[in-house]
Amino acid sequence: MHTPPGVTIDTPVNLREVGRLRVLEALHATPRSSRPELVRVTGLSRATVSSLVADLIAVGLVTEEEPDTDDPEPRRTGRPAQSLSLVPTAGYAIGADIGHQHVRVNLCDLFGTVLWEHWVAKDVDRAPEETLDLVAVLVGRALQETGVARSRVLGIGAGIASPVEKGSGELGAEGIMPGWVGLHLTDELKKRTALPVRVTNDANAGALAELMYGAGRQIGDMVYVRLSAGIGAGIVSNGQLLLGARGLAGEIGHLPLIADGLICRCGNRGCLETVASPVAIARLLTQSWGRPVAARELPMLIKQRNTGALRAVRDAGDAVGRALSTLVTLLNPRLIVVGGDLAGAGEDLLEPLRAGVRRHTLPSAARGVEIVTGGLGDGAEVRGAAGLVLAGAPHLLSTMPPGEAA
């Protein structure tokens, strides 16, 4: 049959594949469920759910447990529903966190449980080839040491300390990671690992981790701010990462804070990073004390209650609070989660940060936002990188050939 120009014929929808995806999505969202609950959540008929569940059990994607007969709660008449859940080892995701001075790689199961993790100190900014080769080596080690077959890995998620263009995955690294300008991280990692790759910046990865596994669970409107060598924010609005037109939303480290301040590595003057990053604090102490102070010394100085270091950290907290007040006014989040290297300062950082937000924000908006440290520590970004892949696990599992599922 000839199709007239300009006329397209829709591919028929495979209703069974759609149903399979709905069941997997429901089980991914709720680790333990039952057939009656799946009927309610998916809108599929009881017979369809039973048939799909049987198929998923047969290929090793779903497991079924007998009900607890020792349950003291009284039950209605009839046989109690059997518990269904995804098999955690039916698929895996790899996370890679590429910072300015480190590389961290992990391997997670379907529920985000970390099964393997390794951290390496590395001067990254001017060594993209060496860094990506290192990531590939660590991926190989993760698979070898855990015995996970490469065919069972759903993909690699990578978070990097650079703006990442949405769609192309190109790094907007001018002045930030000089050796990486114009590099397409997605293509480079795929070439080295032969695995599907998803890429975002490290703050977005941290936000996703805290949303999925940490302090932001069940919170649909939150901001994750990463205070490390670079400063950035991952913004969650209505349960979704807010990326902006080109994927560059949340670069608060380059908000101008001081009109005649220091020139930032981005080329502008007086950015938040020039006054509130650990590097900036160490530089200030070096100038004040007349001896070199490294950023890595800050945790010990804070622990020792060094008055100069505490004052510098508190001033940084106030500066970050002023910058975040703009996001609170514009976005009205319920929660701000503070992560990154500087988060270890705890209340010495948070108290002036909260005060800065209150001082510069509409009072009703300031009263409605809670500000806490992250629940995942320095592992947030790498877990969120793996979470990039795991968020799409139902779709990836639904298209996995039966022979690869078990």
Side-chain angles (χ1 to χ4, degrees):
M1 177 179 174
H2 178 68
T3 302
V7 175
T8 59
I9 298 177
D10 292 334
T11 303
V13 175
N14 186 320
L15 296 179
R16 191 164 186 81
E17 289 181 4
V18 172
R20 176 185 170 100
L21 177 58
R22 286 187 189 175
V23 169
L24 289 169
E25 287 175 335
L27 290 171
H28 189 248
T30 306
R32 292 191 179 276
S33 190
S34 64
R35 287 174 179 81
E37 181 65 11
L38 290 175
V39 169
R40 187 187 69 81
V41 171
T42 64
L44 301 171
S45 70
R46 183 185 302 176
T48 299
V49 165
S50 293
S51 176
L52 290 169
V53 166
D55 289 348
L56 293 170
I57 291 174
V59 299
L61 291 179
V62 171
T63 186
E64 181 176 41
E65 296 178 8
E66 291 295 331
D68 186 0
T69 55
D70 296 327
D71 189 347
E73 291 293 321
R75 296 185 181 272
R76 297 175 181 173
T77 58
R79 187 173 185 270
Q82 292 172 300
S83 176
L84 300 168
S85 64
L86 289 177
V87 175
T89 56
Y92 300 87
I94 291 172
D97 172 31
I98 303 172
H100 293 288
Q101 296 176 328
H102 75 271
V103 171
R104 188 191 299 259
V105 170
N106 72 9
L107 176 73
C108 298
D109 68 16
L110 281 182
F111 295 140
T113 302
V114 178
L115 306 177
W116 185 95
E117 184 169 303
H118 194 71
W119 181 93
V120 178
K122 174 70 178 172
D123 188 1
V124 168
D125 289 2
R126 299 182 184 278
E129 297 293 332
E130 291 179 15
T131 300
L132 292 173
D133 289 344
L134 174 60
V135 171
V137 168
L138 292 175
V139 169
R141 278 187 55 188
L143 299 179
Q144 181 180 25
E145 293 177 15
T146 59
V148 171
R150 192 174 293 260
S151 62
R152 303 276 293 282
V153 178
L154 302 177
I156 298 175
I160 186 166
S162 166
V164 179
E165 291 273 354
K166 186 169 65 176
S168 71
E170 184 176 346
L171 303 183
E174 292 89 348
I176 298 172
M177 297 178 74
W180 297 70
V181 176
L183 187 143
H184 290 262
L185 185 55
T186 305
D187 296 339
E188 294 293 332
L189 275 180
K190 186 174 182 180
K191 180 173 66 177
R192 286 169 169 80
T193 64
L195 289 167
V197 177
R198 295 197 63 188
V199 176
T200 191
N201 71 47
D202 54 0
N204 283 338
L208 186 60
E210 293 290 350
L211 178 68
M212 294 174 72
Y213 313 116
R217 280 177 293 183
Q218 312 303 318
I219 304 296
D221 294 276
M222 60 168 275
V223 173
Y224 173 82
V225 56
R226 175 176 167 85
L227 303 177
S228 290
I231 295 177
I235 301 167
V236 177
S237 179
N238 196 28
Q240 301 293 321
L241 279 174
L242 184 63
L243 300 178
R246 296 178 57 189
L248 307 180
E251 291 291 339
I252 65 166
H254 302 289
L255 288 177
L257 210 68
I258 301 175
D260 58 348
L262 297 175
I263 294 177
C264 180
R265 56 185 173 177
C266 74
N268 291 323
R269 185 182 285 277
C271 295
L272 177 63
E273 274 190 17
T274 67
V275 296
S277 69
V279 173
I281 294 172
R283 180 177 60 239
L284 175 63
L285 294 177
T286 296
Q287 294 170 345
S288 299
W289 294 348
R291 68 168 180 84
V293 178
R296 64 177 177 274
E297 295 179 56
L298 292 180
M300 182 57 68
L301 291 170
I302 294 167
K303 185 177 180 180
Q304 294 170 345
R305 312 308 293 164
N306 179 279
T307 55
L310 289 174
R311 176 57 190 266
V313 166
R314 289 165 183 159
D315 287 348
D318 177 75
V320 174
R322 280 185 282 149
L324 287 174
S325 69
T326 301
L327 294 187
V328 172
T329 299
L330 292 175
L331 301 172
N332 189 212
R334 283 181 52 197
L335 180 70
I336 293 175
V337 179
V338 180
D341 297 339
L342 208 55
E347 288 299 315
D348 290 310
L349 174 78
L350 290 187
E351 190 279 327
L353 193 157
R354 293 185 187 112
V357 169
R358 289 194 300 269
R359 190 179 307 119
H360 300 285
T361 307
L362 187 70
S364 57
R367 285 194 298 271
V369 63
E370 182 181 7
I371 301 175
V372 301
T373 52
L376 303 174
D378 60 5
E381 283 71 28
V382 73
R383 287 194 70 183
L388 281 173
V389 175
L390 294 175
H395 175 75
L396 296 171
L397 291 171
S398 72
T399 59
M400 181 181 287
E404 296 182 8

